[in-house]
Structure formats: structure tokens, C-alpha cells
Amino acid sequence: MHLPQELRHEILQHLILLLEMDYHVKTDLKSIRLVNKDWSASASPFLFERIYWSPRDVDLEAFGSIVDQPALAECVKEFVFDGSRFDETISKRKYFEDLCVQVGRVANCMEFLMYGVWMSAGFASPIFEGIDPEILSFATALQSRLDGSGKPSNLDAHFERFHGVVDEGYLRWLQCAEQQQRHMQDPKVFKRFCSGLKRLENLESVVLSRGWSDYPDKRRLQHESGVWLTPCTGSPLARSWNIFHPKPLAWDFIRTEDEELGGPSDGVSEFFFLSKALSQARKHPCKLSVGTVDDSNDRVHVGDPGHGNEGIAPTVFQTLEMHDTLITTYRNLTHLTLHMDSIAGVTMPSEYPDLTGLGDLLISLPGLQYLDLALPAALSPQQQCYTYDQIFQYPDDGRWPNLHDLSIHNIAIRTKDLVAFFSEGLPALRRLSISIIVLLDGRWEWIIQFLHEHMRLESFETAIESGLLYSDGGFYNEGDRYEWYLTEQYNWLLESVASYVERREGCLHPSVGSADLEDREVERERERETREVAEGYGRALRGFLGRGGLEDGRGN
């Protein structure tokens, strides 16, 4: 089957576009490589564009088999370090409880995706054909007896009855835990890791993932073949993992109450391991993502509750011996995604981990074009966000002249600093996403007017569940009810703010309400009010800042 290279490339691109709808495409690509040398050469760049590493045997073997073949190594553009961890201290009883919770997750996902089939057959459905019958029997018995916590009502009886299933899964868990602990401390493994990275000549992007996804991937539900495949995308180990068994834990789920913040379960050791290896391999990636779940490496969606609460421990930037390594290794970054874990046990910003190391890293990235920064979130009303002065430290001639896409969450800032940050530090900004921005003085109405007049944004987003706050903790235009953000009126407010900031046709300042397009008189009155309100807010902001005028971010 000899076709021109261009035609083969077009066929493979079409198959890749179908990947979102049919997970079997990846398997098809593997089969295509076996046709002949020409098809193997054409399919390899699509198959090996992204590869994985973790300190577990399965993933180490897969990584080595790729980097040892120059033809495959040169296809790699993105490398993912799977930072999930198997807790070596887990008891068999605790494992069994987690197993029950995982079965509940699979059941919930199946009910959502295949309600009719599920109601008639449950785990006996042909969709589970090929799964160990003992596991299916265990899952069926549990599914009818799960309580509200996802655990069976008669735990002891199930624990004894299905000890074979529990023993098998528990043994594999402990094996993976032993492997990760041994390999992370083995100098030979680190040396082979560095050697492998050095062979990735076309490496552009590096991802440090904090864990696997929580739920089965609906793209792997194949109605035509009647096969339920594995629950996770990601590393070879993740793809081969039994959907009914608990998955390794993400960093934020491992910490115990008496464990110090910044321990090895918070991603710090994994980040340093990766950064040292990149440094020794003399790799300087253009893109870096830290603290995301493996299947969500793009920008955090501001409408998701709890974003910014999970990620790498902020103590990662307190380690002075890694300071120069981080700055040198990541000096060429144009895209940075950094999600940080919340702070527990302290309430005052003065007691928080020092993030000046983060500021130093940001200063060293003048070519940055994309930044998604989720700082530690406040876990209670008594806690405060990190302040602007604790994070951002710019050189006089620096800042980010090329940054066009900014997503920032969980920070407290003064009006003057916010205006200067947007207008003077980010002259190329086009897309802005914010959440939990606490304004320490001034009014959000002024900031909205400033963004409308001076920033020329193509896209502006605020979070549905959080949004814009004042220093007293109250929400912008919220009144006295904390739950107001759940109402339709609040959703309208966020949409109207976005419309006004983006200068959409016919938009009004949110403070004047919505215009009734059926009534031209009302519409004209609202437009007049908008002009007056806008002028008033503009004068108020200039007076507050003590400036006669404001230059916009484009030098006008």
C-alpha cells in the first residue's frame, strides 16, 4: 500500500481528529505502523509525540524502549512526569474501603453514560465482557449495598467474602509503592532518566502531573464493541489499571494531619527530581505545567469549584539550593502553568511559606506568553490570600511584554498595583481569566471601567463560584448573602461584566442593569446611564490614583 507521504499524513491527521470520539484510534495507529516502513514512519510522530515516565517498572520499561530508538525519540515533543504516588503505609482494611469507593465511582459513571442499559443489567451488562468474573461479582454485590459515603453497609461480610479480589489488588498496590520508593532513591535510575531526556532532541513541553483523573473516561466506552476499557489516559501503568481498583493518590490526598507541609507527598521531591534531571540533560523546555491532573493540562476552568486548592506545595520555592537550578533550567519558558496547594494550619500571610523564589523565577522569564497561576487558596474565612507584594517582583526594565494570555487565581491586591500590573506590565495582554481576586482598597466598579477603556481584551472570564471580592470578604455587588453567587442574577452579572470589558456591541455597564431591547426608550436611557456611570468611575479611579489620566496597555 504505497501512497505519497503527503496523503498518508492527511489520513493520519484525520484519524487524530477522531480521537476525541473514539479512543480506538490510538490502537489503530499502532496497527498502521505494522503495515510497512513507510506507514510506520508516518504514524510514529502521532503515537510518540507525548511520552510518560514514573518510578514504576511498567513506565520505566516503556520510557526506555522509546528513548533507545532514535527514530522514536526524535518524535517526542512533550514529556509527562507522572507524579501520582502509592501510599506504602496503607493497610489492607483501608485499601478495601478505597476499593469500595472506586466501585461506586464506576457505578455512578456507568449510570450517567448508559442509564437504560445499566438499569436493566448493571455490572452484568455485556459491556463488561472480559473483566474477571470474581471482580464483577464483587462489584455487583457492593453496588446494591453502598451507603451515602460510597462504602458498603455490611463492610466486614464483604471483606471476608471477597478477600481474593482484595488480596490481589492490595498486593499490586504494595508492589507499585515499593517500586516508586526504590527507584526514586536509586542513582542508577536517575542517571538513566537523564540519559533518556538527553536523547529527546525535539522536546518542547514538560508536564509534572499530580495524579490520575478521578473518574472513568467516557471516550473509552465503546458502544459498538461492547468493551469497557481502562479508566485513565496517561502513562502505560495508568492505561493498564483495572477500573475497579483504587488509583494512586494525588499529592493533596496523601498528607496526614501531623505531616509537615512540603513533605514528599506534596510534589516537591518529584519537582526537584525532574528539574535536576532536565538540568543535567541540558534541556530547557519552552512549556512547563506543574500541579495539574494528567488529563487536564490546559488552563484551569474558572467555573470549577475548588480550583487552585490542589497542586504543588508552595514550600517548593523555599529550597535555596534549588534556586539557581530552577531559574537556569526554565529560562526559556514561553508557557507556564503552575497550580499550588492550599495552606493548612495558618491564617496570616506573614506565616505563609515564602514565595520570593517564585517571584525570582517569574522575573527570569521575559519571553513568557502564557501564564496560568493558581496560588494557594484560602480554606476558611479567617485565612487570607497571598498579597501581590509577596509574589510579584519586577525589574525596572522587565515584566512580560509578550504575555497575551493570563489566568490568575487567589491573590489580594491594591487598586494601584492592579492597574499598573495590567496596563504597564502586560502591554500585549488579550485574554484574562481571574478568580478570588481580593481588592484591598478602591472599588471593583472602577477596575471594570478601567479594563473596558484601556485593556482591549478579546476574552475576560471570572469564576461562577468565587469571582471578585473586597477586602472585607464581600463579593462585588453581592449584598449580604454569601450564597448569592448561586442565583441567576449573579450569573447575569458575570456575563454582563465580560460583555462590558470585551466591548461587545450594545453592552452596558453592569451597574446600570440590563436593557429591555423591546423598548427603545429604556434602551436609550440605559445607554445614557452607562455613559454617565462610566465617566464617573473613570474620574473616581484617576482621583484615587492621583493621576490626571491613564495610559492604556497599548501606549495610547
Side-chain angles (χ1 to χ4, degrees), residues 18-19 27 39 55 60 122 139 163 191 201 404 407 423 470 506 533 543:
L18 295 176
L19 183 58
T27 303
W39 278 102
L60 290 179
H163 64 86
K191 184 177 180 180
E201 297 292 341
H404 52 71
S407 180
S423 64
Y470 294 108
V533 167

Side-chain angles (χ1 to χ4, degrees), residues 191-216:
K191 184 177 180 180
R192 288 195 294 269
F193 181 41
C194 296
S195 176
L197 289 176
K198 190 176 296 186
R199 298 172 188 175
L200 305 180
E201 297 292 341
N202 297 315
L203 184 65
E204 300 174 356
S205 176
V206 172
V207 176
L208 174 56
S209 166
R210 65 178 177 83
W212 300 355
S213 59
D214 285 335
Y215 292 93

